[in-house]
Amino acid sequence: MNEHESEHILSYGFLAQILGGLVLLTAITVGVSYIDWGFLNVPIALFVASSKATLVLLFFMHIKYEGMVIKVSFISTMLVLAFLISFTFWDVAFR
Amino acid sequence: MEKAIDKTGVKIGMWIFLYSEVILFGGLFVLYAAYFHAFPEDFALGGKELNRIFGTANTLVLLISSFTVAASITAIQQRRKGLAIGLLVFSLLCGLTFLINKYFEWGAKFHHDLYPNSDRLLDSDPGFNIFFGLYYTITGLHGLHVIIGMVLLAISLVLVARNKISAERYAMLENSGLYWHLVDLIWIFVFPLFYLVL
């Protein structure tokens, strides 16, 4: 990795904007939770949570500015997790 | 001769550890999903016992502390030591606030006779008991991570104060920050699953 990538400095204003986005998404997820969307309750909540997680990972955790090793290994971990969850749930749901 | 520091290597090591944490909590979420599928009504009853306001407050506390930890790294990079120390102290106070909230939240559950092996849980449907089993396991393990994260941040704080962490060398702060963000990340999923969707 070159020096520029590891020394990437994020401004306070930019970090504050990310925080603002996270608080807004929290307000949205709490707000919509007072309405019953039926079977969509879980997908809506997980979609908002995943959006928040993406903001934290990309900017607070700097993944956007990391080299290929961390990016690829992170995506691989997410794939393993997706397999773990989806295959187990398949088994449970259609048993 | 100065010792060479492999900054990328240090960070990769931390990330590999974080992956193992992701899979650990991922396994617990699978358990939650499977039992939620088996006992949807009992889970809905259990979810009604949890306080949405407490959950939201703790979510905001963790999000704000994640921001201040990220900002403390910027402060170190800009050689603003005082600011970095202030931001870290604030983050530690946020962690403490989270734990105090959790203490009152768990206390309220205990008061309502909802704790592992309590008479109320033993007499209720198995799904209701399982819901609270998962609630205590997942929030308890998460709370343990908050405590570990606070210890790491406190060590970083001391090292910043002693100039051991500086604009040239701040891997310890960066890795403690990564751990703290992971704690935040896990809560981002715990919060809707226990407090909102049911």
Side-chain angles (χ1 to χ4, degrees), chain B residues 36-49:
Chain B
F36 184 24
H37 180 77
F39 306 103
E41 291 89 10
D42 290 335
F43 269 49
L45 277 178
K48 298 230 169 11
E49 297 282 340

Side-chain angles (χ1 to χ4, degrees), chain B residues 18-35:
Chain B
L18 295 187
Y19 300 153
S20 75
E21 295 273 37
V22 167
I23 299 298
L24 169 69
F25 278 94
L28 288 170
F29 285 133
V30 169
L31 216 54
Y32 176 95
Y35 281 120

Side-chain angles (χ1 to χ4, degrees), chain B residues 4 6 9 27 30 32 50 61 75 77 87 93 105 111 130 142 155 184 193 195 198:
Chain B
D6 181 359
V30 169
Y32 176 95
L50 300 185
V61 165
Q77 287 168 329
L87 287 165
L93 289 177
E105 206 193 335
H111 190 69
I130 288 171
H142 178 265
I155 293 172
D184 188 16
L193 287 177
Y195 294 81
L198 300 164

Side-chain angles (χ1 to χ4, degrees), chain B residues 170-185:
Chain B
Y170 53 86
M172 174 68 197
L173 178 61
E174 220 171 15
N175 283 350
S176 306
L178 283 176
Y179 192 84
W180 191 255
H181 297 311
L182 179 89
V183 169
D184 188 16
L185 218 50

Side-chain angles (χ1 to χ4, degrees), chain B:
Chain B
M1 198 185 120
E2 290 252 327
K3 256 195 296 180
I5 302 159
D6 181 359
K7 286 184 183 172
T8 314
V10 169
K11 227 189 272 181
I12 290 172
M14 189 64 196
W15 272 104
I16 290 172
F17 169 64
L18 295 187
Y19 300 153
S20 75
E21 295 273 37
V22 167
I23 299 298
L24 169 69
F25 278 94
L28 288 170
F29 285 133
V30 169
L31 216 54
Y32 176 95
Y35 281 120
F36 184 24
H37 180 77
F39 306 103
E41 291 89 10
D42 290 335
F43 269 49
L45 277 178
K48 298 230 169 11
E49 297 282 340
L50 300 185
N51 189 328
R52 218 171 273 202
I53 307 296
F54 260 125
T56 309
N58 265 351
T59 304
L60 292 176
V61 165
L62 278 193
L63 289 176
I64 291 167
S65 72
S66 251
F67 160 73
T68 51
V69 166
S72 78
I73 293 173
T74 303
I76 278 293
Q77 287 168 329
Q78 294 179 345
R79 300 174 192 282
R80 293 164 75 178
K81 184 180 157 186
L83 181 62
I85 290 178
L87 287 165
L88 284 174
V89 169
F90 182 83
S91 312
L92 282 171
L93 289 177
C94 285
L96 194 65
T97 309
F98 180 92
L99 290 176
I100 291 171
N101 271 345
K102 196 98 267 176
Y103 168 80
F104 282 116
E105 206 193 335
W106 277 27
K109 298 285 158 305
F110 281 36
H111 190 69
H112 289 117
D113 207 19
L114 289 167
Y115 52 87
N117 243 357
S118 73
D119 291 338
R120 182 171 167 202
L121 284 184
L122 288 179
D123 292 340
S124 61
D125 294 326
F128 194 69
N129 195 357
I130 288 171
F131 175 81
F132 277 98
L134 283 168
Y135 167 77
Y136 281 112
T137 307
I138 294 179
T139 61
L141 194 62
H142 178 265
L144 191 65
H145 280 74
V146 172
I147 294 170
I148 297 169
M150 284 175 69
V151 170
L152 289 173
L153 288 179
I155 293 172
S156 301
L157 174 66
V158 171
L159 293 177
V160 170
R162 290 185 177 175
N163 293 320
K164 297 275 187 197
I165 290 176
S166 62
E168 285 72 36
R169 189 176 180 182
Y170 53 86
M172 174 68 197
L173 178 61
E174 220 171 15
N175 283 350
S176 306
L178 283 176
Y179 192 84
W180 191 255
H181 297 311
L182 179 89
V183 169
D184 188 16
L185 218 50
I186 292 163
W187 185 258
I188 284 175
F189 286 96
V190 171
F191 170 60
L193 287 177
F194 280 96
Y195 294 81
L196 297 184
V197 299
L198 300 164

Side-chain angles (χ1 to χ4, degrees), chain A residues 50 53-54 57 61 63 70-86, chain B residues 15 18-23 26 182 185-186 189:
Chain A
S50 304
T54 308
L57 284 160
M61 296 176 91
I63 283 198
I70 289 177
K71 277 181 180 154
V72 171
S73 62
F74 175 77
I75 292 169
S76 311
T77 308
M78 288 302 115
L79 285 177
V80 168
L81 189 64
F83 277 125
L84 180 78
I85 292 174
S86 54
Chain B
W15 272 104
L18 295 187
Y19 300 153
S20 75
E21 295 273 37
V22 167
I23 299 298
L182 179 89
L185 218 50
I186 292 163
F189 286 96

